[in-house]
Amino acid sequence: MKNFNYKNPTKILFGEGEIANLSNEIPKNAKILMLYGGGSIKRNGIYKQVTEALQNYDIIEFGGIPTNPEYEVLMEAVTIIKEKRLDYILAVGGGSVIDGAKFIAAAVKYEGKEAWDLLAKREEIKAALPIATVLTLPATGSEMNPRFVISRRATKEKLSFASPLLFPEVSVLDPSVIQSLPTRQIANGIADSFMHTLEQYMTYPAGGFLQDRFAEGILQTLKEISTRVLQHPTDYEAAANFMWCCTLALNDLIAQGVPSDWGVHAIGHELTALHGIDHARTLAIIAPRYYEHCFEDKKEKLAQYAERVWGVADGTVTEKAKQGIVKTEEFFQSLGIATKLSDYTNDYERTAEAIAQRFTERNWLGLGEHKTVTPEDVMRIVKKSQ
Ligand code: NZQ
Ligand code: ZN
């Protein structure tokens, strides 16, 4: 196991009714910008619960953050915070709203010329506003991690950023919020958290026995509850396990001391940037072909995963590893998620070349745990995913 330093300062309030306790966590004199998305919170009662919990606070609302949060929209919120001298951000939403909050928290304090440079140049930040979140969609883990992903539609870019200053101070995880989620978003949440776990697991055996078991536990639990949450989103027990799996899949605990490979996400973000495909679905398109391409490097972990998560008992390491990929693709399909690029767009012809070119321009010349997946390999993987 490799050495590691790990600190996760986010406080979690978990369970039904916990939104009411927000006022115990946010400083009484905070001047809050409350962010939300397209309005689902007004229809499902979450808005009401939050505003009742915070009725004695000074709050300005900013709604309309789109899925794959848009830079131009977020910059409007930055202007409001500066004009009104607000000092606290409350994000009520899924990954898009929470990621938007983190970008705004950093951009308000950013002293450079254009806040997009944070992402384009990956500049280190020295300060950020404090953030609280009320999670409405289990998927990304953003509620307990320090990173965000922002899109800029004008240039068809989607880039990520992280800083220890961006962990939310507190996040409320009430599993009953999933009752109003469309099936598509529940399926996305299962697939995204499944892939977060795999990205931190599917490398090579690295002596992290406990980390492997953590990851396999999350994968097995997601598999176990997937039908229940999809068919019965009012099943609280299933919802609670789903939500906690999503948070633990990407609060960086399972990654400590072991290698990881975020290649599927790196390529997936480009499919969202170029074609607007839901984040989780881009992962389901790329992952099977990515694992086939990196088969030799990953086959021992693929076989272990096939054995422990899918119960594949027979065959050689190679045979089991191949079954691991097949089972993964079938799992995504069982969630109603198509696994080919052409299932989502007819305009895929130049996609592989465009992504390879972008990676070359950004100097992303070696993805993977061994940094050996070149832009040319990426082109092959995307072509096979068509
Ligand atoms: O906008 P509203 O009206 O709220 O509707 C949203 C949106 O349309 C809806 N929704 C959310 N909660 C709901 C609900 N509808 C009914 N009831 C509820 N309780 O769901 C739709 C999707 O929401 P969104 O926040 O976009 O989804 P998700 O949580 O999947 O977030 C996706 C974004 O997170 C990024 C992705 O790239 C993408 O931009 N990610 C962030 C990560 C991180 N910070 O660590 C890691 C991930 O890998 C991912 O990249
Ligand atoms: Zn993801």
PDB file of all heavy atoms in Angstrom, residues 1 17 19 37 39 53-54 62 65 95 110 152 168 182 203 228 233 239 252 272 281 289 377:
ATOM      1  N   MET A   1       0.846  -1.198   0.000  1.00  0.00           N
ATOM      2  CA  MET A   1       0.000   0.000   0.000  1.00  0.00           C
ATOM      3  C   MET A   1       0.881   1.248   0.000  1.00  0.00           C
ATOM      4  O   MET A   1       1.868   1.302   0.716  1.00  0.00           O
ATOM      5  CB  MET A   1      -0.883  -0.022   1.264  1.00  0.00           C
ATOM      6  CG  MET A   1      -2.102   0.852   1.155  1.00  0.00           C
ATOM      7  SD  MET A   1      -3.034   0.965   2.708  1.00  0.00           S
ATOM      8  CE  MET A   1      -3.516  -0.724   3.025  1.00  0.00           C
ATOM      9  N   GLY A  17     -35.812  13.914   7.142  1.00  0.00           N
ATOM     10  CA  GLY A  17     -36.110  15.025   8.061  1.00  0.00           C
ATOM     11  C   GLY A  17     -34.909  15.869   8.449  1.00  0.00           C
ATOM     12  O   GLY A  17     -35.036  16.878   9.135  1.00  0.00           O
ATOM     13  N   ILE A  19     -33.124  17.900   6.819  1.00  0.00           N
ATOM     14  CA  ILE A  19     -33.042  19.260   6.255  1.00  0.00           C
ATOM     15  C   ILE A  19     -33.410  20.283   7.335  1.00  0.00           C
ATOM     16  O   ILE A  19     -32.835  21.369   7.408  1.00  0.00           O
ATOM     17  CB  ILE A  19     -33.970  19.399   5.015  1.00  0.00           C
ATOM     18  CG1 ILE A  19     -33.452  18.524   3.866  1.00  0.00           C
ATOM     19  CG2 ILE A  19     -34.056  20.859   4.549  1.00  0.00           C
ATOM     20  CD1 ILE A  19     -34.362  18.455   2.638  1.00  0.00           C
ATOM     21  N   GLY A  37     -31.439  24.363  -9.370  1.00  0.00           N
ATOM     22  CA  GLY A  37     -31.423  24.082 -10.813  1.00  0.00           C
ATOM     23  C   GLY A  37     -32.670  24.575 -11.514  1.00  0.00           C
ATOM     24  O   GLY A  37     -33.119  25.703 -11.314  1.00  0.00           O
ATOM     25  N   GLY A  39     -35.796  23.876 -11.179  1.00  0.00           N
ATOM     26  CA  GLY A  39     -37.061  24.062 -10.470  1.00  0.00           C
ATOM     27  C   GLY A  39     -37.676  22.806  -9.883  1.00  0.00           C
ATOM     28  O   GLY A  39     -38.735  22.872  -9.261  1.00  0.00           O
ATOM     29  N   ALA A  53     -36.581  25.773   7.124  1.00  0.00           N
ATOM     30  CA  ALA A  53     -35.462  25.548   8.059  1.00  0.00           C
ATOM     31  C   ALA A  53     -34.628  26.814   8.240  1.00  0.00           C
ATOM     32  O   ALA A  53     -34.061  27.037   9.310  1.00  0.00           O
ATOM     33  CB  ALA A  53     -34.583  24.407   7.561  1.00  0.00           C
ATOM     34  N   LEU A  54     -34.571  27.630   7.191  1.00  0.00           N
ATOM     35  CA  LEU A  54     -33.688  28.806   7.231  1.00  0.00           C
ATOM     36  C   LEU A  54     -34.480  30.113   7.246  1.00  0.00           C
ATOM     37  O   LEU A  54     -34.007  31.139   6.769  1.00  0.00           O
ATOM     38  CB  LEU A  54     -32.738  28.772   6.025  1.00  0.00           C
ATOM     39  CG  LEU A  54     -31.821  27.540   5.943  1.00  0.00           C
ATOM     40  CD1 LEU A  54     -30.946  27.599   4.703  1.00  0.00           C
ATOM     41  CD2 LEU A  54     -30.943  27.420   7.193  1.00  0.00           C
ATOM     42  N   PHE A  62     -30.869  32.011  -6.293  1.00  0.00           N
ATOM     43  CA  PHE A  62     -30.387  32.022  -7.680  1.00  0.00           C
ATOM     44  C   PHE A  62     -30.710  30.664  -8.291  1.00  0.00           C
ATOM     45  O   PHE A  62     -30.033  29.669  -8.024  1.00  0.00           O
ATOM     46  CB  PHE A  62     -28.885  32.305  -7.715  1.00  0.00           C
ATOM     47  CG  PHE A  62     -28.341  32.486  -9.108  1.00  0.00           C
ATOM     48  CD1 PHE A  62     -28.230  33.746  -9.681  1.00  0.00           C
ATOM     49  CD2 PHE A  62     -27.952  31.382  -9.866  1.00  0.00           C
ATOM     50  CE1 PHE A  62     -27.739  33.909 -10.973  1.00  0.00           C
ATOM     51  CE2 PHE A  62     -27.462  31.537 -11.157  1.00  0.00           C
ATOM     52  CZ  PHE A  62     -27.352  32.798 -11.711  1.00  0.00           C
ATOM     53  N   ILE A  65     -29.681  26.923 -12.679  1.00  0.00           N
ATOM     54  CA  ILE A  65     -28.395  26.294 -13.053  1.00  0.00           C
ATOM     55  C   ILE A  65     -28.706  25.042 -13.877  1.00  0.00           C
ATOM     56  O   ILE A  65     -29.404  24.137 -13.409  1.00  0.00           O
ATOM     57  CB  ILE A  65     -27.573  25.952 -11.801  1.00  0.00           C
ATOM     58  CG1 ILE A  65     -27.203  27.274 -11.110  1.00  0.00           C
ATOM     59  CG2 ILE A  65     -26.320  25.142 -12.165  1.00  0.00           C
ATOM     60  CD1 ILE A  65     -26.372  27.127  -9.885  1.00  0.00           C
ATOM     61  N   GLY A  95     -25.471  17.003  -8.661  1.00  0.00           N
ATOM     62  CA  GLY A  95     -24.066  17.328  -8.906  1.00  0.00           C
ATOM     63  C   GLY A  95     -23.891  18.648  -9.633  1.00  0.00           C
ATOM     64  O   GLY A  95     -22.937  19.384  -9.355  1.00  0.00           O
ATOM     65  N   TYR A 110     -11.357  34.730  -6.750  1.00  0.00           N
ATOM     66  CA  TYR A 110     -10.274  34.629  -7.740  1.00  0.00           C
ATOM     67  C   TYR A 110      -9.829  36.026  -8.177  1.00  0.00           C
ATOM     68  O   TYR A 110     -10.662  36.866  -8.503  1.00  0.00           O
ATOM     69  CB  TYR A 110     -10.779  33.819  -8.935  1.00  0.00           C
ATOM     70  CG  TYR A 110      -9.770  33.624 -10.030  1.00  0.00           C
ATOM     71  CD1 TYR A 110      -8.627  32.868  -9.818  1.00  0.00           C
ATOM     72  CD2 TYR A 110      -9.963  34.205 -11.281  1.00  0.00           C
ATOM     73  CE1 TYR A 110      -7.700  32.692 -10.827  1.00  0.00           C
ATOM     74  CE2 TYR A 110      -9.039  34.027 -12.306  1.00  0.00           C
ATOM     75  CZ  TYR A 110      -7.909  33.269 -12.073  1.00  0.00           C
ATOM     76  OH  TYR A 110      -6.996  33.094 -13.070  1.00  0.00           O
ATOM     77  N   ARG A 152     -18.620  24.820 -20.797  1.00  0.00           N
ATOM     78  CA  ARG A 152     -18.706  26.100 -21.502  1.00  0.00           C
ATOM     79  C   ARG A 152     -19.214  25.789 -22.899  1.00  0.00           C
ATOM     80  O   ARG A 152     -18.473  25.310 -23.753  1.00  0.00           O
ATOM     81  CB  ARG A 152     -17.317  26.747 -21.550  1.00  0.00           C
ATOM     82  CG  ARG A 152     -17.389  28.214 -21.792  1.00  0.00           C
ATOM     83  CD  ARG A 152     -16.027  28.868 -21.678  1.00  0.00           C
ATOM     84  NE  ARG A 152     -16.182  30.300 -21.730  1.00  0.00           N
ATOM     85  CZ  ARG A 152     -15.186  31.169 -21.663  1.00  0.00           C
ATOM     86  NH1 ARG A 152     -13.955  30.723 -21.519  1.00  0.00           N
ATOM     87  NH2 ARG A 152     -15.409  32.452 -21.749  1.00  0.00           N
ATOM     88  N   PRO A 168     -17.575  20.841   0.795  1.00  0.00           N
ATOM     89  CA  PRO A 168     -18.676  21.484   1.511  1.00  0.00           C
ATOM     90  C   PRO A 168     -18.437  21.378   3.017  1.00  0.00           C
ATOM     91  O   PRO A 168     -17.871  20.390   3.500  1.00  0.00           O
ATOM     92  CB  PRO A 168     -19.898  20.654   1.094  1.00  0.00           C
ATOM     93  CG  PRO A 168     -19.507  20.028  -0.213  1.00  0.00           C
ATOM     94  CD  PRO A 168     -18.031  19.780  -0.105  1.00  0.00           C
ATOM     95  N   PRO A 182     -36.851  11.327 -11.907  1.00  0.00           N
ATOM     96  CA  PRO A 182     -37.201  10.523 -13.073  1.00  0.00           C
ATOM     97  C   PRO A 182     -36.310   9.271 -13.132  1.00  0.00           C
ATOM     98  O   PRO A 182     -35.154   9.305 -12.696  1.00  0.00           O
ATOM     99  CB  PRO A 182     -36.872  11.446 -14.257  1.00  0.00           C
ATOM    100  CG  PRO A 182     -36.671  12.806 -13.680  1.00  0.00           C
ATOM    101  CD  PRO A 182     -36.300  12.631 -12.246  1.00  0.00           C
ATOM    102  N   THR A 203      -7.405  -1.311 -11.718  1.00  0.00           N
ATOM    103  CA  THR A 203      -6.030  -1.024 -12.145  1.00  0.00           C
ATOM    104  C   THR A 203      -5.247  -2.344 -12.072  1.00  0.00           C
ATOM    105  O   THR A 203      -5.435  -3.191 -12.927  1.00  0.00           O
ATOM    106  CB  THR A 203      -5.410   0.076 -11.260  1.00  0.00           C
ATOM    107  OG1 THR A 203      -5.503  -0.317  -9.885  1.00  0.00           O
ATOM    108  CG2 THR A 203      -6.120   1.415 -11.468  1.00  0.00           C
ATOM    109  N   ARG A 228     -34.577  -2.303  -6.977  1.00  0.00           N
ATOM    110  CA  ARG A 228     -35.487  -1.726  -5.968  1.00  0.00           C
ATOM    111  C   ARG A 228     -35.605  -0.213  -6.130  1.00  0.00           C
ATOM    112  O   ARG A 228     -36.712   0.325  -6.114  1.00  0.00           O
ATOM    113  CB  ARG A 228     -34.979  -2.054  -4.555  1.00  0.00           C
ATOM    114  CG  ARG A 228     -35.434  -3.417  -4.069  1.00  0.00           C
ATOM    115  CD  ARG A 228     -34.789  -3.784  -2.739  1.00  0.00           C
ATOM    116  NE  ARG A 228     -35.317  -3.063  -1.587  1.00  0.00           N
ATOM    117  CZ  ARG A 228     -34.880  -3.245  -0.339  1.00  0.00           C
ATOM    118  NH1 ARG A 228     -33.923  -4.126  -0.078  1.00  0.00           N
ATOM    119  NH2 ARG A 228     -35.394  -2.575   0.670  1.00  0.00           N
ATOM    120  N   PRO A 233     -38.961   3.902  -5.976  1.00  0.00           N
ATOM    121  CA  PRO A 233     -38.162   4.977  -5.360  1.00  0.00           C
ATOM    122  C   PRO A 233     -38.663   5.404  -3.978  1.00  0.00           C
ATOM    123  O   PRO A 233     -37.964   6.127  -3.273  1.00  0.00           O
ATOM    124  CB  PRO A 233     -38.250   6.122  -6.377  1.00  0.00           C
ATOM    125  CG  PRO A 233     -39.228   5.715  -7.405  1.00  0.00           C
ATOM    126  CD  PRO A 233     -39.546   4.283  -7.261  1.00  0.00           C
ATOM    127  N   ALA A 239     -33.320   3.340  -0.916  1.00  0.00           N
ATOM    128  CA  ALA A 239     -32.866   4.712  -1.232  1.00  0.00           C
ATOM    129  C   ALA A 239     -31.699   5.117  -0.340  1.00  0.00           C
ATOM    130  O   ALA A 239     -30.736   5.741  -0.800  1.00  0.00           O
ATOM    131  CB  ALA A 239     -34.029   5.689  -1.067  1.00  0.00           C
ATOM    132  N   ASP A 252     -13.352   9.928  -1.826  1.00  0.00           N
ATOM    133  CA  ASP A 252     -11.909   9.665  -1.908  1.00  0.00           C
ATOM    134  C   ASP A 252     -11.392   8.646  -0.893  1.00  0.00           C
ATOM    135  O   ASP A 252     -10.216   8.301  -0.925  1.00  0.00           O
ATOM    136  CB  ASP A 252     -11.089  10.962  -1.835  1.00  0.00           C
ATOM    137  CG  ASP A 252     -11.405  11.881  -3.011  1.00  0.00           C
ATOM    138  OD1 ASP A 252     -12.016  11.399  -3.991  1.00  0.00           O
ATOM    139  OD2 ASP A 252     -11.063  13.067  -2.963  1.00  0.00           O
ATOM    140  N   THR A 272     -19.917  14.428 -23.481  1.00  0.00           N
ATOM    141  CA  THR A 272     -20.922  15.406 -23.019  1.00  0.00           C
ATOM    142  C   THR A 272     -20.657  16.758 -23.674  1.00  0.00           C
ATOM    143  O   THR A 272     -21.591  17.409 -24.163  1.00  0.00           O
ATOM    144  CB  THR A 272     -20.873  15.553 -21.483  1.00  0.00           C
ATOM    145  OG1 THR A 272     -21.105  14.279 -20.887  1.00  0.00           O
ATOM    146  CG2 THR A 272     -21.943  16.523 -21.003  1.00  0.00           C
ATOM    147  N   ARG A 281     -24.132   8.288 -18.832  1.00  0.00           N
ATOM    148  CA  ARG A 281     -24.275   7.483 -20.054  1.00  0.00           C
ATOM    149  C   ARG A 281     -22.990   7.494 -20.880  1.00  0.00           C
ATOM    150  O   ARG A 281     -22.655   6.506 -21.541  1.00  0.00           O
ATOM    151  CB  ARG A 281     -25.489   7.963 -20.856  1.00  0.00           C
ATOM    152  CG  ARG A 281     -26.750   7.563 -20.101  1.00  0.00           C
ATOM    153  CD  ARG A 281     -28.036   8.226 -20.489  1.00  0.00           C
ATOM    154  NE  ARG A 281     -28.953   7.984 -19.370  1.00  0.00           N
ATOM    155  CZ  ARG A 281     -29.978   7.123 -19.364  1.00  0.00           C
ATOM    156  NH1 ARG A 281     -30.309   6.488 -20.462  1.00  0.00           N
ATOM    157  NH2 ARG A 281     -30.695   6.925 -18.284  1.00  0.00           N
ATOM    158  N   ARG A 289     -15.306  -0.613 -23.702  1.00  0.00           N
ATOM    159  CA  ARG A 289     -14.251  -0.603 -24.732  1.00  0.00           C
ATOM    160  C   ARG A 289     -12.900  -0.186 -24.150  1.00  0.00           C
ATOM    161  O   ARG A 289     -11.849  -0.640 -24.583  1.00  0.00           O
ATOM    162  CB  ARG A 289     -14.642   0.343 -25.896  1.00  0.00           C
ATOM    163  CG  ARG A 289     -16.013   0.102 -26.511  1.00  0.00           C
ATOM    164  CD  ARG A 289     -16.145  -1.239 -27.241  1.00  0.00           C
ATOM    165  NE  ARG A 289     -16.476  -2.383 -26.419  1.00  0.00           N
ATOM    166  CZ  ARG A 289     -17.708  -2.716 -25.996  1.00  0.00           C
ATOM    167  NH1 ARG A 289     -18.748  -1.976 -26.305  1.00  0.00           N
ATOM    168  NH2 ARG A 289     -17.878  -3.794 -25.253  1.00  0.00           N
ATOM    169  N   ASP A 377      -4.585   5.896 -28.851  1.00  0.00           N
ATOM    170  CA  ASP A 377      -5.373   4.823 -28.211  1.00  0.00           C
ATOM    171  C   ASP A 377      -6.787   5.316 -27.913  1.00  0.00           C
ATOM    172  O   ASP A 377      -7.760   4.577 -28.096  1.00  0.00           O
ATOM    173  CB  ASP A 377      -4.722   4.388 -26.880  1.00  0.00           C
ATOM    174  CG  ASP A 377      -3.368   3.726 -27.080  1.00  0.00           C
ATOM    175  OD1 ASP A 377      -3.212   2.997 -28.079  1.00  0.00           O
ATOM    176  OD2 ASP A 377      -2.462   3.956 -26.252  1.00  0.00           O
TER     177      ASP A 377
END
